[in-house]
Short mmCIF file of all heavy atoms in Angstrom, two decimals:
data_model
loop_
_atom_site.label_atom_id
_atom_site.label_comp_id
_atom_site.label_asym_id
_atom_site.label_seq_id
_atom_site.Cartn_x
_atom_site.Cartn_y
_atom_site.Cartn_z
N MET J 206 -8.05 -14.40 30.66
CA MET J 206 -7.84 -13.24 31.54
C MET J 206 -6.71 -12.38 30.98
O MET J 206 -5.62 -12.86 30.71
CB MET J 206 -7.49 -13.74 32.94
CG MET J 206 -7.89 -12.78 34.06
SD MET J 206 -9.67 -12.43 34.07
CE MET J 206 -9.81 -11.65 35.67
N SER J 207 -6.98 -11.13 30.79
CA SER J 207 -5.97 -10.25 30.23
C SER J 207 -5.17 -9.58 31.34
O SER J 207 -5.68 -9.30 32.41
CB SER J 207 -6.62 -9.17 29.38
OG SER J 207 -7.36 -9.74 28.33
N THR J 208 -3.93 -9.34 31.02
CA THR J 208 -3.09 -8.60 31.96
C THR J 208 -2.66 -7.30 31.30
O THR J 208 -2.15 -7.30 30.19
CB THR J 208 -1.84 -9.41 32.34
OG1 THR J 208 -2.25 -10.65 32.88
CG2 THR J 208 -1.02 -8.67 33.39
N TYR J 209 -2.90 -6.20 31.97
CA TYR J 209 -2.52 -4.91 31.42
C TYR J 209 -1.23 -4.43 32.07
O TYR J 209 -1.03 -4.58 33.26
CB TYR J 209 -3.64 -3.90 31.64
CG TYR J 209 -4.94 -4.33 31.04
CD1 TYR J 209 -6.09 -4.39 31.79
CD2 TYR J 209 -5.00 -4.72 29.70
CE1 TYR J 209 -7.29 -4.81 31.24
CE2 TYR J 209 -6.19 -5.12 29.14
CZ TYR J 209 -7.33 -5.17 29.91
OH TYR J 209 -8.51 -5.57 29.35
N HIS J 210 -0.39 -3.87 31.24
CA HIS J 210 0.93 -3.52 31.73
C HIS J 210 1.10 -2.03 32.03
O HIS J 210 2.05 -1.65 32.67
CB HIS J 210 1.98 -3.94 30.69
CG HIS J 210 1.94 -5.41 30.40
ND1 HIS J 210 2.35 -6.36 31.31
CD2 HIS J 210 1.51 -6.09 29.33
CE1 HIS J 210 2.17 -7.57 30.78
NE2 HIS J 210 1.67 -7.42 29.59
N SER J 211 0.20 -1.22 31.55
CA SER J 211 0.38 0.22 31.75
C SER J 211 -0.98 0.90 31.77
O SER J 211 -1.98 0.32 31.33
CB SER J 211 1.23 0.80 30.63
OG SER J 211 0.47 0.88 29.45
N PRO J 212 -1.01 2.13 32.26
CA PRO J 212 -2.27 2.89 32.21
C PRO J 212 -2.79 3.04 30.79
O PRO J 212 -4.00 3.07 30.57
CB PRO J 212 -1.88 4.25 32.80
CG PRO J 212 -0.70 3.96 33.66
CD PRO J 212 0.04 2.83 32.97
N PHE J 213 -1.88 3.12 29.83
CA PHE J 213 -2.31 3.23 28.44
C PHE J 213 -3.10 2.00 28.03
O PHE J 213 -4.14 2.08 27.39
CB PHE J 213 -1.10 3.36 27.51
CG PHE J 213 -0.44 4.70 27.60
CD1 PHE J 213 0.71 4.86 28.32
CD2 PHE J 213 -1.00 5.80 26.96
CE1 PHE J 213 1.33 6.10 28.42
CE2 PHE J 213 -0.40 7.04 27.05
CZ PHE J 213 0.78 7.19 27.78
N ASP J 214 -2.59 0.85 28.40
CA ASP J 214 -3.28 -0.39 28.04
C ASP J 214 -4.67 -0.45 28.67
O ASP J 214 -5.62 -0.89 28.05
CB ASP J 214 -2.45 -1.60 28.50
CG ASP J 214 -1.18 -1.75 27.68
OD1 ASP J 214 -1.17 -1.28 26.53
OD2 ASP J 214 -0.22 -2.35 28.19
N ARG J 215 -4.74 0.00 29.92
CA ARG J 215 -6.04 -0.04 30.58
C ARG J 215 -7.01 0.90 29.91
O ARG J 215 -8.17 0.56 29.66
CB ARG J 215 -5.89 0.31 32.06
CG ARG J 215 -5.39 -0.86 32.88
CD ARG J 215 -5.64 -0.63 34.36
NE ARG J 215 -4.86 0.49 34.88
CZ ARG J 215 -3.62 0.37 35.35
NH1 ARG J 215 -3.04 -0.81 35.35
NH2 ARG J 215 -2.99 1.41 35.82
N LEU J 216 -6.55 2.12 29.60
CA LEU J 216 -7.43 3.08 28.94
C LEU J 216 -7.83 2.59 27.56
O LEU J 216 -8.97 2.70 27.15
CB LEU J 216 -6.71 4.43 28.80
CG LEU J 216 -6.61 5.24 30.08
CD1 LEU J 216 -5.69 6.44 29.87
CD2 LEU J 216 -7.98 5.71 30.52
N ARG J 217 -6.87 2.01 26.87
CA ARG J 217 -7.15 1.54 25.52
C ARG J 217 -8.18 0.41 25.57
O ARG J 217 -9.10 0.36 24.75
CB ARG J 217 -5.86 1.04 24.88
CG ARG J 217 -6.12 0.54 23.49
CD ARG J 217 -4.81 0.40 22.72
NE ARG J 217 -5.09 0.47 21.30
CZ ARG J 217 -4.21 0.84 20.39
NH1 ARG J 217 -3.00 1.19 20.77
NH2 ARG J 217 -4.50 0.88 19.13
N ALA J 218 -8.02 -0.47 26.52
CA ALA J 218 -8.98 -1.57 26.65
C ALA J 218 -10.37 -1.03 26.94
O ALA J 218 -11.36 -1.52 26.43
CB ALA J 218 -8.53 -2.52 27.76
N LYS J 219 -10.41 0.01 27.76
CA LYS J 219 -11.70 0.60 28.08
C LYS J 219 -12.36 1.16 26.82
O LYS J 219 -13.54 0.97 26.59
CB LYS J 219 -11.50 1.72 29.11
CG LYS J 219 -12.78 2.41 29.50
CD LYS J 219 -12.49 3.59 30.43
CE LYS J 219 -13.77 4.38 30.64
NZ LYS J 219 -13.53 5.62 31.35
N PHE J 220 -11.56 1.84 25.99
CA PHE J 220 -12.13 2.41 24.78
C PHE J 220 -12.46 1.34 23.75
O PHE J 220 -13.41 1.47 23.00
CB PHE J 220 -11.19 3.45 24.18
CG PHE J 220 -11.37 4.79 24.81
CD1 PHE J 220 -10.51 5.24 25.79
CD2 PHE J 220 -12.43 5.60 24.43
CE1 PHE J 220 -10.69 6.47 26.39
CE2 PHE J 220 -12.62 6.83 25.03
CZ PHE J 220 -11.74 7.27 26.01
N ASP J 221 -11.65 0.30 23.73
CA ASP J 221 -11.92 -0.77 22.78
C ASP J 221 -13.25 -1.46 23.06
O ASP J 221 -13.87 -2.03 22.19
CB ASP J 221 -10.79 -1.80 22.81
CG ASP J 221 -9.58 -1.31 22.01
OD1 ASP J 221 -9.73 -0.32 21.27
OD2 ASP J 221 -8.52 -1.92 22.15
N GLU J 222 -13.67 -1.39 24.32
CA GLU J 222 -14.96 -1.99 24.66
C GLU J 222 -16.12 -1.07 24.32
O GLU J 222 -17.26 -1.49 24.28
CB GLU J 222 -15.00 -2.32 26.16
CG GLU J 222 -14.07 -3.47 26.53
CD GLU J 222 -13.91 -3.58 28.04
OE1 GLU J 222 -14.58 -2.82 28.76
OE2 GLU J 222 -13.12 -4.43 28.48
N THR J 223 -15.80 0.18 24.09
CA THR J 223 -16.84 1.14 23.76
C THR J 223 -17.30 0.91 22.32
O THR J 223 -16.49 0.69 21.43
CB THR J 223 -16.32 2.58 23.90
OG1 THR J 223 -15.81 2.76 25.20
CG2 THR J 223 -17.43 3.58 23.65
N GLU J 224 -18.58 0.98 22.13
CA GLU J 224 -19.11 0.80 20.80
C GLU J 224 -18.69 1.95 19.91
O GLU J 224 -18.83 3.12 20.28
CB GLU J 224 -20.63 0.73 20.87
CG GLU J 224 -21.19 -0.35 19.97
CD GLU J 224 -22.68 -0.51 20.22
OE1 GLU J 224 -23.43 0.43 19.94
OE2 GLU J 224 -23.08 -1.58 20.68
N LEU J 225 -18.17 1.61 18.74
CA LEU J 225 -17.74 2.65 17.82
C LEU J 225 -18.85 2.93 16.82
O LEU J 225 -19.02 2.21 15.86
CB LEU J 225 -16.48 2.20 17.08
CG LEU J 225 -15.15 2.52 17.77
CD1 LEU J 225 -14.01 1.86 17.02
CD2 LEU J 225 -14.93 4.01 17.84
N THR J 226 -19.59 3.96 17.09
CA THR J 226 -20.64 4.35 16.18
C THR J 226 -20.48 5.82 15.83
O THR J 226 -20.39 6.66 16.71
CB THR J 226 -22.03 4.12 16.81
OG1 THR J 226 -22.15 2.76 17.19
CG2 THR J 226 -23.13 4.47 15.82
N CYS J 227 -20.42 6.08 14.55
CA CYS J 227 -20.24 7.45 14.08
C CYS J 227 -21.47 8.28 14.42
O CYS J 227 -22.60 7.89 14.14
CB CYS J 227 -20.01 7.45 12.57
SG CYS J 227 -19.86 9.10 11.88
N ARG J 228 -21.21 9.43 15.01
CA ARG J 228 -22.34 10.29 15.36
C ARG J 228 -22.89 11.03 14.16
O ARG J 228 -24.00 11.57 14.19
CB ARG J 228 -21.91 11.31 16.43
CG ARG J 228 -21.87 10.69 17.81
CD ARG J 228 -21.59 11.74 18.85
NE ARG J 228 -20.28 12.38 18.63
CZ ARG J 228 -19.71 13.20 19.50
NH1 ARG J 228 -20.31 13.49 20.61
NH2 ARG J 228 -18.54 13.73 19.23
N GLN J 229 -22.10 11.10 13.10
CA GLN J 229 -22.52 11.86 11.93
C GLN J 229 -23.43 11.04 11.01
O GLN J 229 -24.46 11.52 10.55
CB GLN J 229 -21.31 12.34 11.13
CG GLN J 229 -20.36 13.22 11.93
CD GLN J 229 -21.06 14.47 12.47
OE1 GLN J 229 -21.81 15.11 11.77
NE2 GLN J 229 -20.80 14.79 13.74
N CYS J 230 -23.04 9.81 10.74
CA CYS J 230 -23.79 9.03 9.75
C CYS J 230 -24.34 7.73 10.34
O CYS J 230 -25.09 7.02 9.68
CB CYS J 230 -22.91 8.71 8.54
SG CYS J 230 -21.61 7.50 8.87
N GLY J 231 -23.97 7.42 11.57
CA GLY J 231 -24.50 6.24 12.20
C GLY J 231 -23.77 4.96 11.86
O GLY J 231 -24.18 3.87 12.26
N TYR J 232 -22.66 5.09 11.13
CA TYR J 232 -21.88 3.91 10.76
C TYR J 232 -21.34 3.23 12.01
O TYR J 232 -20.79 3.87 12.90
CB TYR J 232 -20.72 4.34 9.85
CG TYR J 232 -19.84 3.18 9.43
CD1 TYR J 232 -20.15 2.43 8.30
CD2 TYR J 232 -18.70 2.84 10.15
CE1 TYR J 232 -19.35 1.39 7.90
CE2 TYR J 232 -17.89 1.79 9.77
CZ TYR J 232 -18.23 1.06 8.64
OH TYR J 232 -17.43 0.02 8.26
N HIS J 233 -21.53 1.93 12.06
CA HIS J 233 -21.03 1.17 13.20
C HIS J 233 -19.82 0.37 12.80
O HIS J 233 -19.89 -0.51 11.95
CB HIS J 233 -22.14 0.23 13.72
CG HIS J 233 -21.69 -0.59 14.90
ND1 HIS J 233 -21.32 -0.04 16.10
CD2 HIS J 233 -21.55 -1.92 15.04
CE1 HIS J 233 -20.97 -1.00 16.93
NE2 HIS J 233 -21.08 -2.15 16.32
N ASP J 234 -18.67 0.70 13.40
CA ASP J 234 -17.42 0.04 13.05
C ASP J 234 -17.15 -1.09 14.03
O ASP J 234 -16.85 -0.86 15.20
CB ASP J 234 -16.29 1.07 13.09
CG ASP J 234 -15.01 0.52 12.48
OD1 ASP J 234 -14.93 -0.71 12.28
OD2 ASP J 234 -14.10 1.31 12.20
N GLU J 235 -17.29 -2.30 13.56
CA GLU J 235 -17.14 -3.44 14.46
C GLU J 235 -15.70 -3.92 14.57
O GLU J 235 -15.34 -4.59 15.53
CB GLU J 235 -18.02 -4.60 13.98
CG GLU J 235 -19.50 -4.26 14.03
CD GLU J 235 -20.36 -5.46 13.76
OE1 GLU J 235 -19.90 -6.59 14.05
OE2 GLU J 235 -21.47 -5.30 13.25
N SER J 236 -14.90 -3.61 13.58
CA SER J 236 -13.54 -4.13 13.59
C SER J 236 -12.49 -3.06 13.85
O SER J 236 -11.33 -3.36 14.05
CB SER J 236 -13.23 -4.81 12.25
OG SER J 236 -13.39 -3.87 11.20
N GLY J 237 -12.92 -1.82 13.85
CA GLY J 237 -11.97 -0.74 14.03
C GLY J 237 -11.62 -0.52 15.48
O GLY J 237 -12.07 -1.22 16.37
N GLY J 238 -10.80 0.46 15.70
CA GLY J 238 -10.40 0.79 17.06
C GLY J 238 -9.96 2.23 17.13
O GLY J 238 -9.89 2.91 16.12
N TRP J 239 -9.69 2.64 18.34
CA TRP J 239 -9.26 4.01 18.53
C TRP J 239 -7.78 4.13 18.25
O TRP J 239 -6.99 3.28 18.65
CB TRP J 239 -9.53 4.44 19.96
CG TRP J 239 -10.99 4.47 20.31
CD1 TRP J 239 -11.73 3.42 20.76
CD2 TRP J 239 -11.87 5.57 20.22
NE1 TRP J 239 -13.02 3.83 20.95
CE2 TRP J 239 -13.14 5.14 20.64
CE3 TRP J 239 -11.71 6.90 19.81
CZ2 TRP J 239 -14.24 5.99 20.66
CZ3 TRP J 239 -12.81 7.75 19.84
CH2 TRP J 239 -14.05 7.28 20.27
N ARG J 240 -7.41 5.21 17.59
CA ARG J 240 -5.99 5.51 17.46
C ARG J 240 -5.58 6.35 18.66
O ARG J 240 -6.27 7.29 19.03
CB ARG J 240 -5.72 6.28 16.16
CG ARG J 240 -5.81 5.37 14.95
CD ARG J 240 -5.70 6.15 13.68
NE ARG J 240 -4.49 6.96 13.63
CZ ARG J 240 -4.15 7.74 12.61
NH1 ARG J 240 -4.94 7.84 11.58
NH2 ARG J 240 -3.04 8.42 12.63
N VAL J 241 -4.47 5.99 19.23
CA VAL J 241 -4.05 6.64 20.47
C VAL J 241 -2.82 7.49 20.23
O VAL J 241 -1.86 7.05 19.60
CB VAL J 241 -3.73 5.58 21.55
CG1 VAL J 241 -3.45 6.26 22.87
CG2 VAL J 241 -4.87 4.59 21.67
N SER J 242 -2.88 8.71 20.70
CA SER J 242 -1.67 9.54 20.70
C SER J 242 -1.60 10.25 22.03
O SER J 242 -2.61 10.52 22.67
CB SER J 242 -1.69 10.54 19.55
OG SER J 242 -2.80 11.40 19.68
N SER J 243 -0.40 10.52 22.47
CA SER J 243 -0.25 11.16 23.77
C SER J 243 0.69 12.34 23.67
O SER J 243 1.60 12.38 22.85
CB SER J 243 0.27 10.16 24.80
OG SER J 243 1.54 9.70 24.42
N SER J 244 0.42 13.32 24.52
CA SER J 244 1.34 14.45 24.64
C SER J 244 1.29 14.92 26.08
O SER J 244 0.23 15.24 26.60
CB SER J 244 0.94 15.57 23.68
OG SER J 244 -0.31 16.09 24.03
N GLY J 245 2.43 14.91 26.71
CA GLY J 245 2.46 15.31 28.11
C GLY J 245 1.63 14.36 28.95
O GLY J 245 1.79 13.15 28.87
N ASP J 246 0.70 14.93 29.71
CA ASP J 246 -0.12 14.08 30.58
C ASP J 246 -1.50 13.84 29.98
O ASP J 246 -2.42 13.42 30.65
CB ASP J 246 -0.25 14.71 31.97
CG ASP J 246 -0.96 16.06 31.91
OD1 ASP J 246 -1.12 16.60 30.79
OD2 ASP J 246 -1.36 16.57 32.97
N ARG J 247 -1.62 14.14 28.69
CA ARG J 247 -2.91 13.92 28.05
C ARG J 247 -2.81 12.82 27.01
O ARG J 247 -1.82 12.69 26.31
CB ARG J 247 -3.40 15.21 27.38
CG ARG J 247 -3.78 16.26 28.37
CD ARG J 247 -4.32 17.46 27.67
NE ARG J 247 -3.36 18.00 26.70
CZ ARG J 247 -3.63 18.98 25.86
NH1 ARG J 247 -4.82 19.54 25.85
NH2 ARG J 247 -2.72 19.40 25.02
N VAL J 248 -3.87 12.06 26.92
CA VAL J 248 -3.95 11.00 25.92
C VAL J 248 -5.16 11.28 25.04
O VAL J 248 -6.26 11.50 25.52
CB VAL J 248 -4.09 9.61 26.56
CG1 VAL J 248 -4.11 8.53 25.49
CG2 VAL J 248 -2.96 9.36 27.54
N GLN J 249 -4.94 11.27 23.75
CA GLN J 249 -6.03 11.56 22.84
C GLN J 249 -6.36 10.32 22.01
O GLN J 249 -5.47 9.68 21.45
CB GLN J 249 -5.67 12.73 21.92
CG GLN J 249 -6.88 13.25 21.16
CD GLN J 249 -6.56 14.52 20.41
OE1 GLN J 249 -5.87 14.48 19.41
NE2 GLN J 249 -7.05 15.65 20.89
N TYR J 250 -7.63 10.02 21.98
CA TYR J 250 -8.12 8.89 21.19
C TYR J 250 -8.87 9.43 20.00
O TYR J 250 -9.67 10.35 20.12
CB TYR J 250 -9.06 8.03 22.03
CG TYR J 250 -8.35 7.32 23.16
CD1 TYR J 250 -8.07 7.99 24.34
CD2 TYR J 250 -7.96 6.00 23.03
CE1 TYR J 250 -7.41 7.35 25.37
CE2 TYR J 250 -7.30 5.35 24.05
CZ TYR J 250 -7.03 6.03 25.23
OH TYR J 250 -6.38 5.41 26.25
N GLN J 251 -8.61 8.85 18.84
CA GLN J 251 -9.22 9.37 17.63
C GLN J 251 -9.74 8.22 16.79
O GLN J 251 -9.12 7.18 16.65
CB GLN J 251 -8.17 10.16 16.85
CG GLN J 251 -8.77 10.96 15.71
CD GLN J 251 -7.72 11.85 15.07
OE1 GLN J 251 -6.85 11.38 14.36
NE2 GLN J 251 -7.78 13.14 15.35
N PHE J 252 -10.92 8.44 16.27
CA PHE J 252 -11.54 7.45 15.39
C PHE J 252 -12.04 8.18 14.15
O PHE J 252 -12.81 9.13 14.25
CB PHE J 252 -12.70 6.75 16.10
CG PHE J 252 -13.62 6.01 15.17
CD1 PHE J 252 -13.17 4.94 14.42
CD2 PHE J 252 -14.95 6.40 15.04
CE1 PHE J 252 -14.02 4.26 13.55
CE2 PHE J 252 -15.81 5.71 14.18
CZ PHE J 252 -15.34 4.65 13.45
N VAL J 253 -11.55 7.75 12.99
CA VAL J 253 -12.00 8.36 11.74
C VAL J 253 -12.99 7.42 11.09
O VAL J 253 -12.68 6.27 10.77
CB VAL J 253 -10.82 8.63 10.79
CG1 VAL J 253 -11.32 9.26 9.50
CG2 VAL J 253 -9.79 9.53 11.46
N CYS J 254 -14.19 7.91 10.88
CA CYS J 254 -15.24 7.09 10.29
C CYS J 254 -14.87 6.72 8.85
O CYS J 254 -14.60 7.60 8.04
CB CYS J 254 -16.56 7.87 10.31
SG CYS J 254 -17.90 6.98 9.49
N PRO J 255 -14.84 5.43 8.53
CA PRO J 255 -14.49 5.02 7.17
C PRO J 255 -15.61 5.31 6.16
O PRO J 255 -15.40 5.23 4.96
CB PRO J 255 -14.27 3.51 7.30
CG PRO J 255 -15.01 3.12 8.53
CD PRO J 255 -15.05 4.31 9.43
N SER J 256 -16.76 5.65 6.65
CA SER J 256 -17.89 5.91 5.76
C SER J 256 -17.99 7.39 5.36
O SER J 256 -18.11 7.71 4.19
CB SER J 256 -19.18 5.47 6.45
OG SER J 256 -20.29 5.76 5.62
N CYS J 257 -17.90 8.28 6.35
CA CYS J 257 -18.09 9.70 6.03
C CYS J 257 -16.90 10.56 6.44
O CYS J 257 -16.93 11.76 6.29
CB CYS J 257 -19.37 10.22 6.68
SG CYS J 257 -19.23 10.44 8.46
N SER J 258 -15.86 9.92 6.99
CA SER J 258 -14.63 10.61 7.37
C SER J 258 -14.80 11.58 8.53
O SER J 258 -13.94 12.42 8.77
CB SER J 258 -14.01 11.35 6.18
OG SER J 258 -13.67 10.43 5.17
N ALA J 259 -15.90 11.47 9.23
CA ALA J 259 -16.04 12.27 10.45
C ALA J 259 -15.02 11.79 11.48
O ALA J 259 -14.65 10.63 11.50
CB ALA J 259 -17.45 12.15 11.01
N VAL J 260 -14.59 12.71 12.30
CA VAL J 260 -13.57 12.37 13.29
C VAL J 260 -14.16 12.46 14.69
O VAL J 260 -14.71 13.49 15.08
CB VAL J 260 -12.36 13.30 13.18
CG1 VAL J 260 -11.32 12.94 14.23
CG2 VAL J 260 -11.76 13.23 11.78
N GLU J 261 -14.05 11.36 15.40
CA GLU J 261 -14.45 11.36 16.80
C GLU J 261 -13.19 11.43 17.65
O GLU J 261 -12.23 10.70 17.41
CB GLU J 261 -15.19 10.05 17.14
CG GLU J 261 -16.50 9.87 16.42
CD GLU J 261 -17.64 10.59 17.13
OE1 GLU J 261 -17.51 10.87 18.34
OE2 GLU J 261 -18.65 10.88 16.48
N THR J 262 -13.19 12.27 18.63
CA THR J 262 -12.03 12.34 19.51
C THR J 262 -12.47 12.29 20.97
O THR J 262 -13.53 12.78 21.33
CB THR J 262 -11.21 13.62 19.28
OG1 THR J 262 -12.07 14.75 19.47
CG2 THR J 262 -10.61 13.65 17.91
N ARG J 263 -11.65 11.65 21.74
CA ARG J 263 -11.82 11.65 23.20
C ARG J 263 -10.48 12.02 23.79
O ARG J 263 -9.44 11.59 23.30
CB ARG J 263 -12.24 10.27 23.71
CG ARG J 263 -13.49 9.71 23.11
CD ARG J 263 -14.74 10.32 23.70
NE ARG J 263 -15.92 9.60 23.22
CZ ARG J 263 -16.50 9.80 22.05
NH1 ARG J 263 -15.98 10.69 21.22
NH2 ARG J 263 -17.55 9.12 21.69
N GLU J 264 -10.51 12.77 24.82
CA GLU J 264 -9.25 13.12 25.46
C GLU J 264 -9.31 12.79 26.93
O GLU J 264 -10.32 13.03 27.59
CB GLU J 264 -8.99 14.61 25.26
CG GLU J 264 -7.56 14.98 25.57
CD GLU J 264 -7.29 16.44 25.22
OE1 GLU J 264 -6.97 16.73 24.06
OE2 GLU J 264 -7.41 17.29 26.12
N MET J 265 -8.26 12.21 27.41
CA MET J 265 -8.20 11.86 28.81
C MET J 265 -6.90 12.36 29.42
O MET J 265 -5.88 12.47 28.75
CB MET J 265 -8.30 10.34 28.99
CG MET J 265 -9.60 9.77 28.49
SD MET J 265 -9.95 8.17 29.24
CE MET J 265 -10.31 8.63 30.91
N ARG J 266 -6.96 12.61 30.69
CA ARG J 266 -5.77 13.03 31.41
C ARG J 266 -5.24 11.87 32.23
O ARG J 266 -6.01 11.16 32.88
CB ARG J 266 -6.11 14.17 32.38
CG ARG J 266 -5.84 15.50 31.80
CD ARG J 266 -6.23 16.59 32.80
NE ARG J 266 -6.14 17.90 32.16
CZ ARG J 266 -4.99 18.53 31.98
NH1 ARG J 266 -3.87 18.02 32.40
NH2 ARG J 266 -4.96 19.70 31.39
N LEU J 267 -3.95 11.72 32.19
CA LEU J 267 -3.32 10.77 33.09
C LEU J 267 -3.09 11.47 34.42
O LEU J 267 -2.53 12.55 34.45
CB LEU J 267 -1.99 10.28 32.52
CG LEU J 267 -2.06 9.47 31.24
CD1 LEU J 267 -0.65 9.12 30.77
CD2 LEU J 267 -2.86 8.20 31.44
N SER J 268 -3.53 10.83 35.46
CA SER J 268 -3.33 11.48 36.76
C SER J 268 -2.37 10.67 37.61
O SER J 268 -2.15 9.52 37.32
CB SER J 268 -4.67 11.62 37.49
OG SER J 268 -5.30 10.37 37.55
ZN1 ZN T 82 -19.65 8.50 9.64
#
């Protein structure tokens, strides 16, 4: 059983459960994860495809 300590951890866990598949080339990254950066009340998740270098981004707001 995992214990999350912050909203960041919860969001990160949610994204970590999301399948990482590149929309450009279809590469499926099984061991990678989202890179997280935050500014103000927004959190940005970024995944750079190791195969074709396409960048996937998701942005969420902390409320
Ligand atoms: Zn790709």
Side-chain angles (χ1 to χ4, degrees):
M206 208 59 167
S207 301
T208 303
Y209 302 126
H210 301 289
S211 74
F213 287 102
D214 290 335
R215 281 197 294 273
L216 285 171
R217 180 165 204 155
K219 179 185 172 189
F220 275 99
D221 281 347
E222 290 169 4
T223 305
E224 222 172 65
L225 271 173
T226 303
C227 177
R228 281 186 299 189
Q229 301 301 316
C230 71
Y232 179 87
H233 179 63
D234 191 346
E235 296 189 28
S236 58
W239 296 87
R240 286 174 55 180
V241 186
S242 61
S243 62
S244 64
D246 63 347
R247 290 184 303 174
V248 182
Q249 192 172 73
Y250 293 81
Q251 191 173 74
F252 164 64
V253 180
C254 176
S256 178
C257 73
S258 298
V260 179
E261 295 277 338
T262 57
R263 303 282 188 279
E264 195 174 274
M265 297 201 70
R266 265 179 188 281
L267 295 177
S268 53

